Amino acid sequence: MAVDIGGIGHSVKRKEDARFIRGRGNYVDDKKLPGMLYLDIARSPYAHAKILKIDTSKALAIPGVAAVITGNDLVPLKLAWMPTLMGDQQMVLPTDTVMYQSQEVAAVVATERYIAADGAAAIEVEYEPLPVIVDPKKALQPDAFVLRPDRKEKSNHIWHWETGDRAGTDEAFRKAEVTVKEEIYIPRIHVSSIETCGIVASFDKVEGQLTVWMTTQAPHAIRTVIALVAGHLGLAEHKIRVISPDIGGGFGGKVPVYPGYVLAIGASVLTGRPVKWVEDRSENIQADSFARDYHITAEVAAKKDGTVEALRVKTIADHGAFDAAANPSKFPAGLFHIITGSYPFKKAFVEVDGAYTNKPPGGIAYRCSFRVTEAAFTIERLMDTLAHKIGKDPADLRLQNFIPPAAFPYQSALGWEYDSGDYGRALRLAMDKVDYAALRKEQLEKRKKGELMGIGISSFTEIVGAGPSKHFDILGIKMFDSCEIRVHPTGKAIVRLGVKSQGQGHETTFGQIVAEELGIPVADIMVEEGDTDTAPYGLGTYASRSTPVAGAATAIAARKIREKGRLIAAHLLEASPDDVEWKDYKYQVKGVPAKSKTMQEVAFAAYTNHPQGMEAGLEAVDYYDPPNLTYPFGSYICVVDIDRGTGEVKIRRFVAVDDCGTVINPMIVEGQVHGGLTMGLAPALYEQITYDEDGNIQGGNFMDYLLPTAMETPNWETERTVTPSPHHPIGAKGIGESATVGAPAAIANAVVDALAHLGVTHIDIPITPWKVQAILKAKGVAE
Amino acid sequence: MRFAGTLEIAAPRERVWQFVTDPLAVSKCAPDVQSVEVIDPRHFKVVARAGVGPIRATFNLDVVFTELVSPERAIVRARGQAPGSAVEMLSTMALAAAPGDRTTMEWSSDVTVTGTIAQVGARLMQGTADKLTKQVFACIKSTLET
């Protein structure tokens, strides 16, 4: 039965793919409205400069240009600045200073996309260059040029955040038998979703109604933000409709409010015509929210036998020109304090200092606001450094130290309560699958011949499902999520959610949860998301929160329907409700399986023959406030061979064992893991955005920013263990980001392992052939 | 980027000075100059095409002699923009009379390029700028020596 209905645990083919593979998806850029205008943006060539003059006359003289918007035009509307989600403010358009290269300087609205671009090119701006700071360490020096004179604090220091037991940790380090330390830089990268960001804003001047189609991962939050930021212009929340149509990849890059969105909305309100803005690839990489950019100093204290005792971490976080991450209010460095990872550190202390630089704002993408990748990379690198120092195999060191299964729920030294885990089982499965012992033997033999082969392990612990309202809010809005289910008379159902898929397959997986709970075949369930006029309020999809939070809401809403259905079934079966149970996907009189009613029969009765005194209809809504976060985990093993001539790292094998608790759709989970692994490979070996001393972006287009394709991607071997979450209604934990969190350390560890006998203890990612070759030359082993 | 060099020109110092401080004359030696508009003897506007490989743009340059000590020393600042790119140049030049009616020119130039050209052409920029500079000085030398 479960197979027929496509309930939990079945590889149901993705329902949404029917339109995607036919090219019938409906993205923002597909939206065309009568009389629509196009917006393009003139951007700053300077990373830091005073604006002396903006001359728009040549742009305005181009036939077809309807309007030009500059910062000064926004001042009377109180829109030149907008608040960020981090209590900072950010320029929509500058009035006197540009803060980073490619920053928006002026917008042109025209009847055609190309005319808008010509208009943007015709805007003449006179700049006076100012000193540029691209290194956050320099930004924090006392004599550094103050980048943000608009702030009260006359320094480039944004905030200091710390957690843990400083004194106890220092004490443990003083007494430690062994300590290791690494300086780790995790460079700036970009999500590079294949669909760039865009919006169509349409303001109806008669009704005062604003409709926007927008590439957003959080449509409800955006609606509220528009109402809060532009309320003084008459945009009230009941007259704002945000529609997030099909989205071609989000990865956190589609959480923020970018100036382009605000400008398009403003232009539509001013002109009364629909306005479309869709950024190009370079604008996307150069100005949209970045990821990472953490300068980490991390130390581990341990016993001589490798038993870990204390962890001490100091980090400088480069936030760019504005602090525009999207963290829960309480945690400016996100969930970075998951950095104790899979190990029972008794003492730990973490501190992070945020700094302004002349770079774009952000820090949202790829688990970035929540900083879990940075944490997992750091602890997994350090475990290898420790293993190397005490002469232990890194697998043995991990197995020796793991938090044991019996210790869950486990209270970490930095305050998290891990829900469930069996880390040893995952690592042992990965070791079996890859044949770890044989690989170590092979490595020894190869070393004798001078060949370079490395094996890297990453046994990461994730932290997802934000989040419990006692800890988690964004702009004060608690991070619950929601589901509304309506079962129609013929037994079909519509399910609406507060989250929003960007390719994760929600239309299938959330249907499967409902199928499992209600016995309605998944084919009979329509899942709808992304329209604030119809969906229940939710905080959106990012940080792997959809299944842990909205998935739980879905199960609970379905159970509310099932409970009402039981009363209807009892009425139909002429039995006492207490004698009716839900079994084998239908209502049965206890002990009399022949006397039963299906959900379809009950649904029909809910509209045609409901018991007297009961409300007609069959629907329910649930706003789920999770009692805790969920803690997916996994163990990855990567095997690399290094070319001694070119320095190229070749991934020979990569075995990924993931545990995301209950698996709703194994095929979709596997797909998520494959995508995540590729997104973990990317920063490990290829991707980075650097800046020269003048603030020029190096890596601001796909010519210089190496996004891995099928050519670079190895064959991923995936396995799984299942350790359900004890507090989630269906035991699911979330899988969206595990692989991108876990993979970089496995790859970096494998490369360092290949070179460890030469005295190499750390290489910063991305580990490019150039970097490796320089090491090989320095060690005298280059071919 | 900083460039510097020394040039021996077989022409008297006064003549070299006249030539290199006359925007209309010297601009004939710069490749791809489209127009020169003299605002006053120390200040002029130049429109020139420049770029790296296929990435080319038309720059509107504002050029000012910030120091003119005839006939021995000049400092010129040029600042300009093309859509998406900007360039900033500070050049110094010192002329010394050499035996036989010759002139020794010592020059240096600090160039900062920002924006699209710097992003896309970063790896090629030094080489391109070097080539352009050589062309300019070769032209100055040959014009003055004929």
Side-chain angles (χ1 to χ4, degrees):
Chain A
M1 176 73 179
V3 179
D4 301 335
I5 65 168
I8 286 174
H10 298 282
S11 290
V12 176
K13 287 210 173 116
R14 290 173 22 127
K15 297 173 75 174
E16 42 273 81
D17 285 348
R19 67 176 184 279
F20 291 144
I21 61 173
R22 289 172 174 86
R24 299 293 292 275
N26 180 30
Y27 299 88
V28 167
D29 205 16
D30 292 321
K31 195 82 204 163
K32 290 179 181 68
L33 296 173
M36 190 165 75
L37 299 172
Y38 296 80
L39 184 138
D40 199 12
I41 293 170
R43 293 173 184 272
S44 170
Y46 288 100
H48 195 200
K50 269 209 147 7
I51 295 175
L52 302 177
K53 191 178 146 200
I54 301 180
D55 183 351
T56 61
S57 58
K58 283 184 187 155
L60 283 166
I62 297 173
V65 169
V68 175
I69 306 169
T70 66
N72 284 330
D73 299 325
L74 298 179
V75 172
L77 304 173
K78 296 196 179 77
L79 279 179
W81 291 80
M82 62 179 174
T84 72
L85 298 176
M86 298 295 295
D88 195 0
Q89 60 170 357
Q90 161 178 13
M91 292 175 194
V92 175
L93 288 177
T95 53
D96 54 5
T97 311
V98 287
M99 298 295 294
Y100 53 90
Q101 191 171 68
S102 294
Q103 185 182 341
E104 299 81 356
V105 174
V108 176
V109 186
T111 50
E112 285 177 36
R113 175 71 181 85
Y114 291 95
I115 296 175
D118 288 346
I123 287 174
E124 290 177 352
V125 187
E126 233 176 273
Y127 296 98
E128 172 82 40
L130 292 168
V132 173
I133 307 177
V134 292
D135 177 350
K137 291 176 182 168
K138 285 185 183 157
L140 291 178
Q141 281 168 6
D143 58 343
F145 189 95
V146 176
L147 298 177
R148 290 285 306 278
D150 60 296
R151 290 171 79 238
K152 268 204 296 286
E153 303 81 1
K154 296 302 170 213
S155 95
N156 297 321
H157 184 257
I158 312 175
W159 41 255
H160 172 85
W161 176 80
E162 60 177 57
T163 191
D165 176 358
R166 185 198 286 264
T169 304
D170 289 348
E171 170 83 8
F173 270 88
R174 274 195 297 276
K175 291 183 177 162
E177 293 172 1
V178 183
T179 62
V180 288
K181 179 177 181 177
E182 291 291 358
E183 304 279 341
I184 295 172
Y185 174 54
I186 304 187
R188 192 173 265 243
I189 55 172
H190 197 275
V191 295
S192 308
S193 53
I194 296 306
E195 181 202 26
T196 60
C197 293
I199 185 172
V200 174
S202 180
F203 183 68
D204 181 332
K205 281 196 169 182
V206 177
E207 301 292 337
Q209 170 97 31
L210 173 71
T211 307
V212 301
W213 292 262
M214 181 172 165
T215 50
T216 176
Q217 299 174 227
H220 292 280
I222 292 290
R223 187 187 68 190
T224 303
V225 167
I226 295 173
L228 291 175
V229 172
H232 63 285
L233 302 175
L235 292 176
E237 198 165 8
H238 67 299
K239 291 201 168 180
I240 303 168
R241 180 181 185 187
V242 178
I243 298 166
S244 184
D246 285 331
I247 295 185
F251 314 110
K254 288 170 180 164
V255 171
V257 175
Y258 295 118
Y261 296 144
V262 180
L263 292 167
I265 292 170
S268 181
V269 172
L270 289 174
T271 61
R273 290 169 69 175
V275 175
K276 177 188 276 189
W277 169 68
V278 176
E279 62 185 3
D280 69 22
R281 177 59 56 194
S282 291
E283 292 178 297
N284 178 260
I285 299 184
Q286 294 179 13
D288 285 4
S289 186
F290 69 92
R292 319 274 182 265
D293 226 344
Y294 256 35
H295 299 255
I296 301 166
T297 306
E299 302 164 89
V300 165
K303 289 194 175 128
K304 262 186 291 194
D305 70 351
T307 304
V308 298
E309 296 197 305
L311 177 68
R312 190 162 58 190
V313 184
K314 191 170 170 55
T315 292
I316 293 173
D318 184 342
H319 278 251
F322 311 106
D323 189 16
N327 278 312
S329 310
K330 258 189 162 178
F331 306 123
L335 314 182
F336 191 54
H337 39 320
I338 190 66
I339 194 159
T340 53
S342 309
Y343 313 101
F345 285 94
K346 290 188 205 80
K347 296 283 177 193
F349 179 71
V350 176
E351 57 186 321
V352 184
D353 288 280
Y356 289 118
T357 58
N358 290 117
K359 299 183 192 173
I364 294 186
Y366 285 154
R367 303 249 61 199
C368 195
S369 267
F370 289 5
R371 302 293 181 184
V372 179
T373 312
E374 290 88 330
F377 184 82
T378 302
I379 187 62
E380 287 306 304
R381 273 283 32 251
L382 277 168
M383 289 305 282
D384 266 36
T385 307
L386 177 63
H388 190 246
K389 176 146 186 180
I390 63 167
K392 250 196 184 159
D393 185 282
D396 293 340
L397 183 76
R398 285 176 170 82
L399 289 166
Q400 165 194 342
N401 273 297
F402 281 146
I403 299 160
F408 291 90
Y410 169 78
Q411 198 71 36
S412 84
L414 294 176
W416 298 116
E417 187 187 293
Y418 295 16
D419 57 349
S420 65
D422 189 343
Y423 304 146
R425 179 163 64 139
L427 178 53
R428 280 189 295 270
L429 178 58
M431 290 167 75
D432 286 349
K433 171 105 178 163
V434 82
D435 200 352
Y436 189 76
L439 286 170
R440 284 290 174 205
K441 217 171 127 218
E442 182 192 344
Q443 184 186 34
L444 265 180
E445 285 158 10
K446 288 214 156 140
R447 273 194 185 158
K448 285 181 203 149
K449 292 189 274 181
E451 290 174 35
L452 299 174
M453 166 197 170
I455 305 150
I457 300 173
S458 170
S459 293
F460 61 94
T461 291
E462 255 267 69
I463 174 167
V464 306
S469 61
K470 59 182 184 288
H471 290 309
F472 289 88
D473 71 270
I474 286 182
L475 286 177
I477 303 168
K478 302 295 187 184
M479 293 185 73
F480 58 85
D481 226 292
S482 61
C483 174
E484 180 192 288
I485 303 171
R486 192 175 299 169
V487 184
H488 306 313
T490 54
K492 322 288 184 193
I494 183 161
V495 178
R496 291 183 169 122
L497 297 148
V499 289
K500 171 63 201 167
S501 180
Q502 306 119 41
Q504 292 90 337
H506 288 185
E507 289 168 45
T508 310
T509 46
F510 289 112
Q512 287 183 260
I513 296 174
V514 174
E516 181 70 27
E517 297 288 341
L518 296 184
I520 299 173
V522 70
D524 293 349
I525 299 164
M526 160 125 109
V527 175
E528 193 186 273
E529 298 177 334
D531 184 341
T532 56
D533 264 12
T534 57
Y537 202 102
L539 272 274
T541 292
Y542 43 85
S544 298
R545 65 186 299 279
S546 296
T547 295
V549 191
T554 305
I556 301 282
R559 286 171 196 179
K560 288 178 184 173
I561 285 176
R562 208 166 70 196
E563 185 48 30
K564 179 173 180 182
R566 196 168 63 92
L567 304 179
I568 299 170
H571 163 71
L572 296 176
L573 292 164
E574 295 176 339
S576 155
D578 293 340
D579 291 335
V580 174
E581 63 179 353
W582 178 257
K583 210 177 159 196
D584 299 332
Y585 303 99
K586 55 188 181 219
Y587 298 101
Q588 299 180 4
V589 177
K590 285 179 189 162
V592 196
K595 283 194 76 177
S596 69
K597 289 287 171 195
T598 63
M599 185 56 75
Q600 288 71 16
E601 290 168 308
V602 165
F604 194 68
Y607 295 87
T608 59
N609 178 22
H610 58 286
Q612 287 304 302
M614 179 191 273
E615 274 184 38
L618 196 57
E619 59 182 80
V621 60
D622 188 69
Y623 287 77
Y624 187 78
D625 180 1
N628 190 6
L629 298 161
T630 60
Y631 296 77
F633 59 93
S635 268
Y636 296 168
I637 300 182
C638 174
V639 186
V640 300
D641 298 295
I642 295 177
D643 187 314
R644 279 171 49 206
T646 62
E648 192 189 352
V649 173
K650 227 178 151 57
I651 295 178
R652 189 203 304 180
R653 288 189 71 187
F654 196 107
V655 170
V657 175
D658 271 287
D659 193 320
C660 59
T662 302
V663 173
I664 299 166
N665 183 318
M667 180 194 71
I668 288 179
V669 165
E670 199 185 343
Q672 293 259 50
V673 171
H674 277 232
L677 290 172
T678 307
M679 287 195 142
L681 164 73
L685 297 185
Y686 307 114
E687 293 178 0
Q688 68 175 331
I689 296 178
T690 57
Y691 291 79
D692 72 11
E693 55 180 6
D694 300 316
N696 285 309
I697 302 160
Q698 315 288 298
N701 55 68
F702 278 164
M703 205 163 79
D704 295 321
Y705 190 76
L706 179 46
L707 203 71
T709 66
M711 291 298 290
E712 288 79 24
T713 306
N715 177 42
W716 308 118
E717 302 171 59
T718 59
E719 285 285 344
R720 84 174 64 85
T721 58
V722 176
T723 311
S725 170
H727 65 76
H728 188 277
I730 61 168
K733 288 187 170 186
I735 188 65
E737 295 158 313
S738 282
T740 189
V741 163
I747 298 167
N749 283 345
V751 179
V752 173
D753 183 62
L755 304 169
H757 60 296
L758 304 170
V760 174
T761 59
H762 178 70
I763 308 171
D764 273 335
I765 55 171
I767 303 175
T768 57
W770 182 83
K771 271 188 204 170
V772 176
Q773 202 191 38
I775 293 168
L776 298 177
K777 280 182 179 163
K779 302 290 180 188
V781 296
E783 246 171 20
Chain B
M1 292 181 294
R2 189 180 163 80
F3 303 93
T6 306
L7 195 68
E8 277 278 330
I9 305 168
R13 179 159 72 156
E14 284 294 338
R15 193 164 152 239
V16 175
W17 177 262
Q18 283 302 325
F19 182 82
V20 296
T21 55
D22 176 356
L24 292 171
V26 77
S27 64
K28 295 203 169 65
C29 275
D32 285 342
V33 168
Q34 295 178 341
S35 73
V36 178
E37 182 195 346
V38 180
I39 311 287
D40 64 53
R42 282 180 167 249
H43 183 193
F44 42 105
K45 287 185 180 290
V46 177
V47 177
R49 275 183 69 76
V52 178
I55 315 294
R56 300 187 74 77
T58 302
F59 281 85
N60 286 294
L61 294 159
D62 199 51
V63 185
V64 179
F65 278 109
T66 56
E67 203 177 312
L68 274 174
V69 185
S70 175
E72 53 193 44
R73 190 178 148 72
I75 299 178
V76 63
R77 195 199 72 198
R79 174 184 288 171
Q81 278 182 67
S85 296
V87 65
E88 183 92 8
M89 201 174 345
L90 193 70
S91 306
T92 63
M93 176 191 71
L95 299 182
D101 258 357
R102 297 168 72 85
T103 307
T104 307
M105 178 198 283
E106 277 188 38
W107 63 272
S108 71
S109 191
D110 278 299
V111 183
T112 307
V113 183
T114 51
T116 312
I117 287 183
Q119 290 165 13
V120 179
R123 294 185 212 105
L124 304 170
M125 221 157 57
Q126 184 92 21
T128 304
D130 205 42
K131 200 179 92 189
L132 278 177
T133 311
K134 282 191 180 126
Q135 271 178 24
V136 171
F137 285 106
C139 169
I140 290 174
K141 191 173 155 76
S142 69
T143 310
L144 283 165
E145 288 179 357
T146 49

